Amino acid sequence: MTASVADSGRFGAFGGRYVPETLIPALDALEVAYADALRDPAFVTALEDSLRTYVGRPSELSDAPHFSALVGAPVYLKREDLNHTGAHKINSAMAHGLLAQRMGKTRIIAETGAGQHGVATATVCARLGLECVVYMGEEDMRRQQLNVFRMRLMGATVVPVLSGTRTLKDATSEAIRDWVTNCEHSHYIIGSVVGPAPYPRMVRDFQAIIGREARAQMLERAGRLPKSVVACIGGGSNAMGIFHAFVPDREVELVGVEAAGHGLATGQHSASLAQGTPGVLHGALSYLLQDADGQIYPAHSVSAGLDYPGVGPEHAFLKDSGRGTYVSVTDDDALAAFGQFSRMEGIIPALETAHAISWIMANAGRWAPDEPILLCVSGRGDKDVAQVAEMGIVPL
Amino acid sequence: MLQGLEAAGADVLEVGVPFSDPVADGPVIQSSSQQALAHGMTFEGALQLITDAKLSVPVVLFSYLNPIVAAGPDALHRARAAGAHGVLVTDLPVGEDPERESWFGAGPLDFVRLVAPTTPRERMGLIATHGRGFVYLISRLGVTGMQDEISTSLPGTLATLREVCTLPICVGFGISTPAHARQVGALADGIVVGSAIVRAAERSVDEALALTRSLRVALDEG
Ligand SMILES: Cc1ncc(COP(=O)(O)O)c(C=O)c1O
């Protein structure tokens, strides 16, 4: 269902390449290079080797005894937090880095919100010997100081973005401007299933390893497919990654959890699918938080990785087609789940992941005792500890 | 300001409809867009400016897709009624959204299309056949903004575009001084100056008009 429509660069009506003319030849070249790479066994092998020996794949599927007892159904955790650098982002960054090398590009551009994609990209660049420039909103640099330090430690240049809301949206705009200027020798590694085609499909393909592994692990461990697959949604890459293998399994419910921030009614949130309308931002047509004049609203979430007013076009398509279910969780509920889950399972989840955890908790009793739930633990929460401590929720 | 620019010798005026996320623009136009939005500027507000100015030179609206589409199905007709003649959309390349492109193309305004330094010759031809009014050639890789020197690749790109294009060719991005105007004016049918005039206008309207007059003189002297 999704694969065929994606070949046009569209998912139903969503997606496309709404970019300055300068980038069209670069996107054409990327499309060709990507198709060539997939046909080249040397590329496929190099990627598999890097994912196994450097990233640490396959990631484990853990059970969650205390959390499962609370929910009343067995919850399985797909442990992307155990990857090198602590989140799913490196699955795509690694593949893009190898592709950039193959295309003869020597300089990498990335944007980052929580800093996890920036760290993953800086890591891959250090490993592959590529120059790395990461754009990050000034507000996010403050929220995620640890990740700024990690990127710089690995040799990346982190450029503070002072325009607009000083978060992920403006960092993405700035990265695109850099790419328009330097597209001849630079490759842009976008951090989610967003941006102009072919990015949403490429990042989805590179993240789809999460769902492929998890599907096999579920069959082996639970002896059946999950009733529900649950993941948080910023741009939507960890969710698309874990959903993709399950899309043809019509009996499996796919649940994406957006950030409701201070509450949907306050207008201060990042729930583009729940509250947005279709529009064009950062190269693609998708659901956006925008006003009646087509100006983009500043998003809000306590979690920097979810603080984005758009969403990947494939999620827009899954929502409209009814295949995906999209819900949202507030800052306060996510913060509560962050602490509760840490105490219960001895796993400190990323604040992004805590949104998905909170939704499952709030829906305890929704599943029969023999209906397993698969949760994507998109990242670990070490990066969030200082911020949460500062908020006074748990004293440091 | 618009009347002043006409009197200072502009042949065509570009009026921007600000967008919150202008990815094709450098710092000067980003900041002017943000200021305009902060002061409540809208698509309708931009049309009002054009109506009030009662200009005799043609006006080209320039913006991004999102604010124009949000202005509704009859937005282009309202723009024509307000006195606009053309429209330029920086994030709608040729062939990427046929439905919306034909909405622009079949409308009452000349739909101005852009060519970049990276555009291959064959695609230049395609773009030229889809445009109306003139073709806008982007002078260099990058976003809008001022620069010290005109890109050395411009004459070559312009010559290639001429071979496949019968419309007038206007060159923009980075043209900031009378010397640039003279240099590019000798090659192209028109020059587009954005950031330099906006930057001057941040200091004073008089300064923007003085710059415009000096550009006019440079073009006329050749
Ligand atoms: C741990 C973690 N999870 C989730 C996200 C959200 O991104 P996406 O929706 O693309 O998975 C981020 C983004 O920074 C992240 O760091």
Side-chain angles (χ1 to χ4, degrees):
Chain A
M1 171 168 90
T2 51
S4 61
V5 281
D7 294 337
S8 62
R10 298 260 171 187
F11 304 92
F14 299 105
R17 302 196 297 182
Y18 299 91
V19 293
E21 170 65 25
T22 309
L23 290 179
I24 293 294
L27 291 168
D28 284 343
L30 180 60
E31 185 99 47
V32 170
Y34 176 48
D36 282 352
L38 289 185
R39 280 193 299 267
D40 179 358
F43 176 82
V44 175
T45 308
L47 177 57
E48 280 171 4
D49 285 352
S50 302
L51 291 175
R52 190 178 67 251
T53 64
Y54 187 67
V55 173
R57 302 208 71 91
S59 67
E60 288 298 336
L61 187 74
S62 300
D63 55 13
H66 306 287
F67 187 51
S68 299
L70 182 84
V71 173
V75 182
Y76 290 85
L77 312 175
K78 181 58 175 165
R79 301 290 304 280
E80 294 301 303
D81 60 315
L82 295 179
N83 293 337
H84 181 39
T85 71
H88 66 292
K89 300 283 182 185
I90 198 162
N91 299 328
S92 174
M94 192 76 235
H96 269 282
L98 291 171
L99 188 65
Q101 223 176 20
R102 213 183 130 85
M103 292 172 76
K105 308 278 183 183
T106 53
R107 180 174 175 271
I108 298 295
I109 307 157
E111 85 296 334
T112 196
Q116 287 304 113
H117 175 61
V119 167
T121 305
T123 301
V124 165
C125 288
R127 166 95 171 168
L128 301 178
L130 299 165
E131 183 189 344
C132 181
V133 179
V134 180
Y135 291 90
M136 188 168 188
E138 200 189 35
E139 167 71 10
D140 290 337
M141 287 180 73
R142 192 187 57 73
R143 286 195 277 196
Q144 303 287 346
Q145 279 174 19
L146 175 66
N147 277 341
V148 175
F149 182 77
R150 292 165 79 196
M151 287 184 266
R152 289 184 169 151
L153 192 61
M154 290 184 285
T157 303
V158 182
V159 183
V161 175
L162 307 178
S163 54
T165 53
R166 305 178 177 204
T167 61
L168 182 54
K169 167 175 87 86
D170 301 281
T172 306
S173 297
E174 209 49 38
I176 294 174
R177 292 184 188 111
D178 182 322
W179 198 36
V180 174
T181 311
N182 300 299
C183 55
E184 288 182 326
H185 65 285
S186 297
H187 177 61
Y188 178 27
I189 307 190
I190 202 162
S192 192
V193 285
V194 298
Y199 280 105
R201 176 168 49 91
M202 287 178 72
V203 175
R204 190 270 320 270
D205 290 351
F206 293 147
Q207 292 292 359
I209 191 165
I210 305 175
R212 273 199 309 277
E213 288 175 4
R215 192 174 183 282
Q217 287 164 324
M218 283 300 297
L219 289 174
E220 190 190 312
R221 294 274 293 285
R224 57 162 288 176
L225 292 175
K227 173 73 180 167
S228 307
V229 180
V230 185
C232 66
I233 307 240
S237 68
N238 85 91
M240 231 25 265
I242 199 162
F243 288 177
H244 188 60
F246 294 98
V247 168
D249 302 316
R250 309 294 304 190
E251 70 278 22
V252 177
E253 179 191 38
L254 307 175
V255 184
V257 185
E258 297 188 292
H262 294 313
L264 294 184
T266 66
Q268 294 178 314
H269 56 77
S270 304
S272 330
L273 288 164
Q275 300 274 302
T277 50
V280 170
L281 176 68
H282 296 149
L285 175 68
S286 187
Y287 280 92
L288 294 180
L289 301 178
Q290 58 181 331
D291 66 17
D293 292 326
Q295 309 295 344
I296 312 306
Y297 279 137
H300 164 80
S301 170
V302 67
S303 147
L306 304 185
D307 198 346
Y308 184 69
V311 65
E314 193 166 5
H315 286 295
F317 173 71
L318 291 177
K319 174 191 153 95
D320 278 12
S321 68
R323 182 67 188 93
T325 301
Y326 295 90
V327 297
S328 58
V329 161
T330 63
D331 287 355
D332 287 348
D333 289 345
L335 285 163
F338 176 81
Q340 219 178 328
F341 191 80
S342 298
R343 286 189 297 278
M344 249 187 308
E345 297 297 342
I347 296 170
I348 302 174
L351 272 182
E352 290 81 11
T353 309
H355 286 73
I357 295 170
S358 171
W359 181 79
I360 296 174
M361 273 183 190
N363 286 278
R366 186 175 181 272
W367 296 270
D370 62 346
E371 290 179 337
I373 302 161
L374 173 63
L375 165 67
C376 187
V377 182
S378 56
R380 67 180 187 225
D382 307 41
K383 68 186 175 59
D384 301 310
V385 167
Q387 184 195 351
V388 172
E390 197 181 302
M391 296 176 84
I393 292 153
V394 182
L396 192 66
Chain B
M1 172 94 184
L2 290 177
Q3 288 156 334
L5 290 169
E6 175 177 296
D11 297 315
V12 178
L13 289 175
E14 269 190 22
V15 174
V17 176
F19 179 46
S20 52
D21 297 83
V23 295
D25 286 298
V28 174
I29 298 193
Q30 281 174 49
S31 125
S32 66
S33 302
Q34 276 189 14
Q35 280 179 44
L37 289 172
H39 287 89
M41 183 50 70
T42 58
F43 183 83
E44 234 50 59
L47 297 191
Q48 193 61 49
L49 286 180
I50 298 169
T51 307
D52 293 347
K54 299 191 175 47
L55 300 165
S56 45
V57 295
V59 172
V60 175
L61 282 182
F62 79 97
S63 190
Y64 291 78
L65 187 57
N66 214 49
I68 300 185
V69 168
D74 65 345
L76 302 177
H77 286 277
R78 298 202 313 278
R80 182 70 196 92
H85 295 78
V87 61
L88 191 160
V89 187
T90 46
D91 57 354
L92 183 55
V94 167
E96 296 301 326
D97 187 338
E99 200 177 313
R100 286 211 170 77
E101 289 174 78
S102 61
W103 179 67
F104 281 103
L109 304 181
D110 284 344
F111 187 22
V112 177
R113 311 310 295 265
L114 295 103
V115 168
T118 51
T119 308
R121 187 174 188 276
E122 201 174 307
R123 184 167 163 83
M124 284 182 180
L126 181 75
I127 296 173
T129 61
H130 279 76
R132 231 165 55 198
F134 63 92
V135 168
Y136 188 130
L137 173 61
I138 298 170
S139 79
R140 52 134 197 248
L141 290 179
V143 294
T144 60
M146 294 173 294
Q147 67 188 7
D148 294 337
E149 283 180 18
I150 298 299
S151 162
T152 51
S153 66
L154 177 63
T157 311
L158 194 61
T160 311
L161 179 56
R162 279 271 186 236
E163 289 167 21
V164 297
C165 175
T166 52
L167 288 172
I169 300 170
C170 296
V171 176
F173 281 46
I175 300 176
S176 326
T177 66
H180 295 162
R182 202 172 297 122
Q183 192 186 340
V184 181
L187 303 169
D189 304 310
I191 60 162
V192 185
V193 183
S195 296
I197 291 179
V198 172
R199 170 51 58 82
E202 279 171 5
R203 291 190 290 263
S204 74
V205 172
D206 283 347
E207 215 167 300
L209 299 183
L211 173 62
T212 308
R213 276 190 295 272
S214 68
L215 294 166
R216 176 79 260 169
V217 169
L219 285 176
D220 290 344
E221 287 172 351

